[in-house]
Amino acid sequence: MNIFKQILPSKPRFKGISKWSRVTCLSFLHSSPTPSVEVHSPEQEVVIALGSNVGNRLYNFNEALHLMKKLGVQITRHGCLYETQPAYVTDQPFFLNSVIRGVTKLGPHELLAAVKKIEKDMGRTAGIRYGPRPIDLDILFYGNFKINSDALTVPHERIWERPFVMAPLIDILGLAIESDVVASWHAFSKHSGGIFESWKKLGGDSLIGRDGLKRVLPVGNHLWDWSKRTHVMGVLNLTPDSFSDGGKFQSVEAAVSQVRLMVSEGADIIDIGAQSTRPFASWISAEEELDRLIPVLEAILEIPGIEGKLVSVDTFHSEVALETIKRGAHLVNDVSGGQLDSKMLKVAADLGVPYVAMHMRGDPGTMLSDENLQYEDVCVQVASELYLQIRDAELSGVPAWRIIVDPGIGFSKNTEHNLEILMGLPTIRREIAMKSLAVSHAPILIGPSRKRFLGDICNRPDATQRDSATVAAVTAGILGGANIIRVHNVRDNLDSARLCDALLKHGRALS
């Protein structure tokens, strides 16, 4: 089944509901914001909305982000990416919408001139109001100021009536109010609960997934609606020393045969790894890793039936990520979250592909040290440490709408920690949401498949005998909010995913 939808404008149907955490009371926001003024400050925090429904919408977004940086806006946060039905003038293609948060030394009218220049340079003409456009950039907030002039009104006067603006605006906030500037943005909403209450009154999280407002993750020139069901990532190890199937798939023929099997059994994603990350494994160079990967990758991409599937490369080397994506892989799965190669985050940003950021302390050689296994609250600390890694990724240019979150089961965790994570995925999302709602909405990937802790619990020293325990583990994870499961046995775990999806759908219908 093809899991993509073209990124060029279209009129799709939507299903499903995504959940969102709320703060219900912000009583300290009753005070009025600063009166209308013109501002000349060394640096201000700003919020800018983006929309596009002409041409390659995602390219337009990427180009607008590039030009904003070039013209003096340092982007610090990105909302999620939404495909939305048009408002006001409805006879036009669907939009992509999001919001960015950043800092700039430009004055408000200088900033207005900059965004208007970007719109013009990208081909926007006067046209009809609310009509089609390659890019639309609106200044929502400028510092903690109100601005009223013939050319500019801030806050933007139509924020509160537009779900396609409010949804990504919420995303660039956290449930915790971290600064006076953010508090002032909440105060602009004129509700005691700030922007959160305004969003709730508009319809809130119940709007997400309905016909006309869908959260999506871009892959190449396609949009992936990952929220409709659990997706299965099949594991292909090209290493001679993998804990589960080391040496079985080193030849191109054996690797291709295994991928054919996983595709026939229903895998959505094939995750290829040529660098062992088992505890205490020896590292190989990026060159050796590529020597293992490239022939297999090229052969896999020629398999009939691979169209519509994703190919992921499991690597922490930026050079490997760069070369494999150039040859047709779709996403980067980095067990280090950018910590083992200083160039990885910049490369991931430049490649413009989805990036799996996994939690691990240390490296495969040190991750099980006494120091790295010390947690007071594993879910809270994993969430905090993962968020910091993802913040680094965002500041390097990887938008939140390209992030996939992996709490790193088995990596710098003991058996108890792994169990707590499997049962505590809602806690991880909630803790991340305190700092960034966009990151808390990212798809969660879990990889418990055949891990040692399952063998310890079930008395199965042979990794290949742990598939039943794996099914139980992924079942717990999916019911707790996992969106992608990384497994060796695709068939049995797909059955688990289908049943869990049916249970979750039934539960939503009852509620």
Side-chain angles (χ1 to χ4, degrees):
M1 179 182 293
N2 195 320
I3 63 173
F4 296 126
K5 196 186 67 57
Q6 287 293 329
I7 202 162
L8 296 176
S10 59
K11 295 185 178 182
R13 298 175 181 177
F14 309 125
K15 295 179 181 179
I17 298 173
S18 293
K19 291 188 176 181
W20 170 73
S21 299
R22 296 188 184 92
V23 168
T24 57
C25 183
L26 295 170
S27 58
F28 61 89
L29 296 177
H30 289 294
S31 59
S32 299
T34 305
S36 303
V37 294
E38 176 60 90
V39 183
H40 297 285
S41 174
E43 188 169 83
Q44 292 291 339
E45 192 164 15
V46 297
V47 177
I48 299 172
L50 300 86
S52 173
N53 76 333
V54 171
N56 187 322
R57 300 170 294 172
L58 186 60
Y59 171 84
N60 295 341
F61 264 45
N62 293 337
E63 184 66 9
L65 295 179
H66 170 72
L67 293 173
M68 276 193 272
K69 295 174 188 176
K70 189 175 179 180
L71 292 175
V73 179
Q74 179 187 350
I75 297 173
T76 57
R77 293 196 187 189
H78 309 73
C80 296
L81 189 66
Y82 295 84
E83 188 172 51
T84 67
Q85 65 184 8
Y88 309 115
V89 178
T90 57
D91 185 18
Q92 57 177 315
F94 272 46
F95 278 82
L96 282 187
N97 287 103
S98 193
V99 165
I100 64 96
R101 179 171 161 184
V103 293
T104 184
K105 294 181 180 179
L106 298 173
H109 289 89
E110 292 174 314
L111 179 61
L112 177 64
V115 298
K116 292 301 181 185
K117 174 175 170 52
I118 292 170
E119 291 178 340
K120 182 178 179 181
D121 290 348
M122 291 183 61
R124 181 173 176 181
T125 57
I128 61 172
R129 193 180 188 192
Y130 307 127
R133 70 286 307 271
I135 196 69
D136 183 32
L137 302 174
D138 288 325
I139 303 170
L140 303 184
F141 298 127
Y142 185 95
N144 59 356
F145 298 99
K146 276 190 172 181
I147 301 163
N148 288 293
S149 71
D150 291 341
L152 179 64
T153 300
V154 175
H156 192 282
E157 57 191 341
R158 291 190 177 269
I159 292 174
W160 320 111
E161 68 186 48
R162 296 176 170 179
F164 61 88
V165 173
M166 287 292 291
L169 172 59
I170 287 288
D171 294 339
I172 54 98
L173 305 173
L175 293 179
I177 312 301
E178 77 269 28
S179 70
D180 290 342
V181 171
V182 174
S184 72
W185 298 344
H186 282 285
F188 287 139
S189 75
K190 300 179 182 177
H191 290 113
S192 62
I195 297 172
F196 299 129
E197 186 177 344
S198 295
W199 172 233
K200 180 180 178 181
K201 288 183 179 297
L202 201 59
D205 59 316
S206 67
L207 299 176
I208 308 298
R210 289 188 177 182
D211 197 22
L213 187 63
K214 178 171 62 174
R215 192 179 289 130
V216 292
L217 189 149
V219 185
N221 288 328
H222 299 83
L223 297 175
W224 178 18
D225 182 6
W226 48 266
S227 66
K228 288 186 176 181
R229 61 179 176 86
T230 303
H231 289 78
V232 178
M233 173 185 277
V235 179
L236 180 67
N237 287 315
L238 306 181
T239 58
D241 57 347
S242 168
F243 77 94
S244 172
D245 48 17
K248 291 180 65 176
F249 309 117
Q250 285 189 278
S251 73
V252 173
E253 294 76 15
V256 168
S257 177
Q258 178 66 6
V259 171
R260 288 180 187 274
L261 174 63
M262 291 192 289
V263 168
S264 71
E265 291 181 340
D268 302 296
I269 309 166
I270 303 298
D271 190 45
I272 312 173
Q275 176 84 247
S276 180
T277 53
R278 64 176 177 81
F280 313 114
S282 299
W283 293 6
I284 60 173
S285 67
E287 291 74 20
E288 186 176 351
E289 194 176 342
L290 284 168
D291 286 343
R292 293 177 181 177
L293 275 168
I294 296 302
V296 173
L297 174 63
E298 291 177 344
I300 287 172
L301 293 174
E302 296 298 321
I303 294 175
I306 200 69
E307 184 180 357
K309 308 296 183 179
L310 298 180
V311 177
S312 167
V313 175
D314 181 359
T315 185
F316 52 76
H317 278 139
S318 61
E319 181 182 344
V320 174
L322 177 62
E323 292 300 322
T324 52
I325 296 298
K326 283 168 58 177
R327 284 170 167 79
H330 302 103
L331 61 116
V332 175
N333 182 10
D334 180 5
V335 298
S336 78
Q339 297 182 102
L340 297 182
D341 184 336
S342 61
K343 298 178 182 177
M344 176 60 93
L345 297 179
K346 182 62 167 63
V347 166
D350 292 343
L351 288 170
V353 297
Y355 178 71
V356 182
M358 194 194 81
H359 177 271
M360 175 176 63
R361 290 176 171 177
D363 58 49
T366 64
M367 64 182 180
L368 296 183
S369 68
D370 289 343
E371 180 182 1
N372 285 329
L373 289 176
Q374 294 300 314
Y375 296 93
E376 293 183 7
D377 186 320
V378 66
C379 290
V380 170
Q381 288 173 263
V382 164
S384 177
E385 292 166 22
L386 253 178
Y387 172 73
L388 293 177
Q389 292 172 220
I390 293 168
R391 283 284 291 138
D392 287 342
E394 275 203 274
L395 292 171
S396 298
V398 182
W401 63 67
R402 293 193 187 275
I403 293 290
I404 297 170
V405 174
D406 183 347
I409 292 172
F411 289 81
S412 58
K413 286 96 179 170
N414 61 27
T415 296
E416 293 300 319
H417 299 147
N418 293 323
L419 295 176
E420 287 183 46
I421 287 172
L422 279 173
M423 298 300 290
L425 296 181
T427 299
I428 291 174
R429 280 202 192 272
R430 186 167 59 249
E431 288 296 318
I432 292 175
M434 296 302 295
K435 299 178 176 68
S436 170
L437 281 160
V439 178
S440 78
H441 292 320
I444 287 182
L445 183 155
I446 58 169
S449 185
R450 298 180 178 175
K451 292 281 174 72
R452 178 178 175 177
F453 80 101
L454 299 177
D456 291 343
I457 293 170
C458 300
N459 193 26
R460 299 290 184 185
D462 184 348
T464 61
Q465 298 298 310
R466 300 171 189 165
D467 283 349
S468 296
T470 298
V471 168
V474 301
T475 298
I478 295 168
L479 294 178
N483 308 103
I484 306 168
I485 54 172
R486 184 180 185 273
V487 295
H488 298 83
N489 180 332
V490 169
R491 185 191 63 182
D492 292 348
N493 286 286
L494 177 58
D495 284 349
S496 170
R498 286 170 170 166
L499 178 59
C500 290
D501 289 346
L503 289 169
L504 291 169
K505 182 178 180 181
H506 182 69
R508 286 193 296 265
L510 290 177
S511 63

